Amino acid sequence: MSGDLTLLSIFEMQAGLRAGDFSCTELLEAHLQRIHDLEPRIHAFITLVEESARKEAKNADFRFSAAQNNGQIDDLPALLGIPIAVKDLITVKDLRCSCGSNVLGEWIAPFTATAIQRLLDAGAIIVGKTNTDEFAMGSSTETSAFGPTFNPWDTSRVPGGSSGGSAAAVAARMVPVAIGSDTGGSIRQPAAFCGVTGIKPSYGRISRYGLVAYGSSLDSMGAFTHSGAEAALLLGIMAGLDKMDATSADHPVPNYHKEITCDIKRLRIGVPREYFIDGIQSEIKTTIKTAIETYRSLGAEIVEISLPHTKYALPVYYLIAPAEASANLARYDGIRFGTRQSTGSMIDMFFETRGQGFGPEVKRRIMLGTYALSAGYYDAYYGQAQKVRTLIKQDFEKAFDKVDVIACPVTPTTAFKVGEHGDDPLAMYLEDVFTLPANLAGVPGIAFPVGLDLENLPIGMQLMGKRFNEKTLFQAVHSFQQNTKFHLQKPLL
Ligand code: GLN
């Protein structure tokens, strides 16, 4: 088949493979070529597994021809032959899992994350593990021990983070789908910066088994794609109860993709006044307002709402997430995982392994979290933060009595320059003001492109939904994307 296979949607890939227009091997090679051409400028990957991917593609081709011969093409799994990338914070058996950290270094994962196994069972082919801020702590992919990823729209800028490698890989068409994780915005913010669609589902919707823990009460796995319809297909495969994760929800998983069309005229969209504050880049404000008007013109009802505790989300998050992180990261002690530095006693080993293994941002989080949890401070910081978290959750519950989805910006600015927030952690933390609340409340959020700023950088809009109502988010994004072309815009690379 002529034409660039990397420009196809997943649905077009599925159809082309089934029609025999091209093979899984050709599809994979097109993506590997793209990776070879662009990786020196983008650095989306920490590990590439081209040879195993080629083997898988050959197997998939064999399954296609066997099915074609006996008329069982419709029985093949949905993602057979589709190349994917996985954030290097998620385990895949026998592949290195670094979490972007020297403390894990060459650690090889002994098992595959449940959600990734479901993708593999559906026929997806892993081409590599993508770059991430160290242990997912960051908003730019710059805290990775492997060096930063660069934004395909402007390689002097960051792709966002922490799942910046995954977002950049999809934006640059190195893969049609990449998996990421989101504790406070790490899927939605890089999706916005890179002009792709990113879904962070409800807490518990996708098993966390195999997702290396950052903030265990906040972490969600999710996906980057080019459209809401593709994201719907992915979530339908990844979601659902898992006996390996007691916090995974026993809640029915709809066929998101089949139910993607809705009557937008019955959709009530809430616009929270607390999300349109001073300090947001002016083009973001106007572009989001235009996108909301598009929804109005499609027949949706637009309702002004209030989420009064929004301003506390940032301080609450930066107590709870580091507190949970400080506990989770205690396991990297040189004994059980990854690298070991040791010149003396066992205590020396702990000091040396952790002192040399963790980067400065991770150390900052461990100190913040340990302080917030220590005797005498626990009630004043961690305890108080938990109470305010409940108020934030209640804001959402009240809002969702009145509206079906909430529309707002994803980020206060478009992609910033590499190094711009280098010595200012607070400026970096402020990048997540609009994404943290969804994690604190456990509700789903989706980011998708709605325009470009004056420097040709993507602007994303976020829709948040009721807990476990990802379906309405996909429907709302799909109807927008059926009527607009922003999701089809491409970086000029
Ligand atoms: N930037 C936020 C942080 O550093 C969120 C990261 C994430 O979602 N993993 O904590």
Side-chain angles (χ1 to χ4, degrees):
M1 137 144 194
S2 61
D4 186 348
L5 298 182
T6 66
L7 296 179
L8 301 179
S9 72
I10 301 175
F11 307 117
E12 291 165 333
M13 291 179 189
Q14 288 174 324
L17 290 169
R18 277 158 182 72
D21 294 341
F22 46 84
S23 68
C24 302
T25 300
E26 286 168 317
L27 185 65
L28 175 71
E29 291 300 338
H31 286 93
L32 293 180
Q33 188 56 48
R34 185 101 182 136
I35 292 172
H36 276 271
D37 292 346
L38 295 175
E39 186 60 0
R41 286 159 65 200
I42 305 293
H43 188 227
F45 288 90
I46 291 179
T47 305
L48 280 168
V49 288
E50 294 171 56
E51 284 323 307
S52 67
R54 287 193 170 105
K55 227 187 264 161
E56 292 303 324
K58 234 185 228 162
N59 282 341
D61 280 329
F62 185 74
R63 288 175 72 182
F64 268 109
S65 45
Q68 241 128 18
N69 290 341
N70 52 31
Q72 288 174 336
I73 202 92
D74 294 333
D75 301 339
L76 290 174
L79 300 180
L80 188 60
I82 306 291
I84 65 166
V86 179
K87 183 179 186 178
D88 207 19
L89 195 79
I90 302 168
T91 61
V92 177
K93 188 171 162 33
D94 297 334
L95 294 193
R96 175 168 74 152
C97 183
S98 75
C99 298
S101 181
N102 283 329
V103 93
L104 277 169
E106 297 294 323
W107 181 65
I108 304 290
F111 66 95
T112 298
T114 302
I116 303 301
Q117 191 58 52
R118 289 178 182 177
L119 294 171
L120 294 175
D121 293 343
I125 296 175
I126 295 176
V127 302
K129 304 288 297 291
T130 56
N131 201 8
T132 166
D133 278 296
E134 186 174 2
F135 285 104
M137 295 173 191
S139 311
S140 65
T141 322
E142 291 168 294
T143 74
S144 168
F146 299 84
T149 296
F150 302 97
N151 191 315
W153 290 80
D154 174 351
T155 51
S156 72
R157 294 175 187 271
V158 303
S162 60
S163 314
S166 287
V170 172
R173 304 266 173 180
M174 294 168 162
V175 277
V177 180
I179 306 307
S181 70
D182 188 313
T183 303
S186 279
I187 289 175
R188 290 158 291 156
Q189 186 252 15
F193 277 15
C194 291
V196 298
T197 300
I199 172 77
K200 178 212 92 76
S202 311
Y203 183 77
R205 178 81 287 186
I206 295 182
S207 167
R208 289 184 298 115
Y209 183 66
L211 171 62
V212 175
Y214 166 10
S216 307
S217 74
L218 302 157
D219 297 338
S220 285
M221 232 188 267
F224 294 91
T225 57
H226 286 288
S227 67
E230 290 163 296
L233 175 71
L234 266 286
L235 185 65
I237 294 167
M238 296 168 77
L241 182 67
D242 173 23
K243 66 178 189 315
M244 301 306 282
D245 172 11
T247 63
S248 73
D250 189 5
H251 204 275
V253 181
N255 190 332
Y256 300 112
H257 176 234
K258 229 182 186 160
E259 299 171 33
I260 194 84
T261 30
C262 73
D263 181 3
I264 191 112
K265 295 205 168 61
R266 295 180 41 192
L267 192 73
R268 296 165 304 167
I269 301 180
V271 181
R273 65 178 79 97
E274 293 80 2
Y275 282 65
F276 292 86
I277 45 176
D278 291 342
I280 306 180
Q281 194 176 320
S282 65
E283 299 126 285
I284 293 189
K285 258 192 208 172
T286 51
T287 305
I288 299 286
K289 291 215 164 120
T290 308
I292 290 169
E293 284 313 310
T294 302
Y295 273 113
R296 198 198 297 278
S297 70
L298 293 173
E301 185 190 342
I302 310 298
V303 186
E304 200 194 318
I305 60 161
S306 173
L307 297 166
H309 296 92
T310 299
K311 62 173 178 286
Y312 302 114
L314 192 93
V316 164
Y317 174 87
Y318 277 99
L319 285 165
I320 293 176
E324 294 182 3
S326 72
N328 279 324
L329 268 53
R331 60 173 70 94
Y332 305 105
D333 52 11
I335 296 178
R336 287 166 287 185
F337 301 95
T339 49
R340 171 182 303 179
Q341 311 288 346
S342 180
T343 53
S345 69
M346 190 174 76
I347 301 292
D348 291 337
M349 179 182 75
F350 293 160
F351 272 108
E352 287 167 30
T353 299
R354 292 170 69 79
Q356 292 171 38
F358 290 133
E361 185 58 32
V362 172
K363 285 179 184 161
R364 184 173 7 252
R365 306 291 178 101
I366 292 174
M367 286 190 280
L368 275 172
T370 306
Y371 186 81
L373 289 177
S374 53
Y377 297 105
Y378 185 95
D379 288 339
Y381 293 119
Y382 187 72
Q384 190 72 4
Q386 290 291 17
K387 286 183 196 155
V388 183
R389 180 178 188 175
T390 302
L391 297 176
I392 292 168
K393 223 185 245 170
Q394 287 168 351
D395 280 357
F396 279 96
E397 282 159 11
K398 281 186 206 142
F400 286 126
D401 284 342
K402 282 195 248 152
V403 297
D404 304 303
V405 301
I406 294 174
C408 61
V410 188
T411 55
T413 67
T414 51
F416 48 90
K417 293 266 184 192
V418 175
E420 191 174 325
H421 295 334
D423 42 16
D424 189 353
L426 201 58
M428 193 70 91
Y429 297 174
L430 280 166
E431 288 296 326
D432 301 308
V433 268
F434 302 139
T435 49
L436 306 169
N439 301 77
L440 291 167
V443 302
I446 191 163
F448 59 107
V450 292
L452 298 175
D453 74 359
L454 295 173
E455 295 189 76
N456 226 24
L457 299 170
I459 295 174
M461 176 150 102
Q462 173 173 221
L463 297 180
M464 293 183 278
K466 245 183 235 176
R467 184 120 191 247
F468 298 122
N469 191 359
E470 289 81 2
K471 185 171 113 178
T472 304
L473 297 184
F474 291 132
Q475 292 176 332
V477 173
H478 184 64
S479 57
F480 186 89
Q481 291 177 336
Q482 293 287 90
N483 290 284
T484 56
K485 294 205 165 6
F486 301 111
H487 64 297
L488 302 176
Q489 286 177 319
K490 287 187 279 299
L492 286 173
L493 278 168

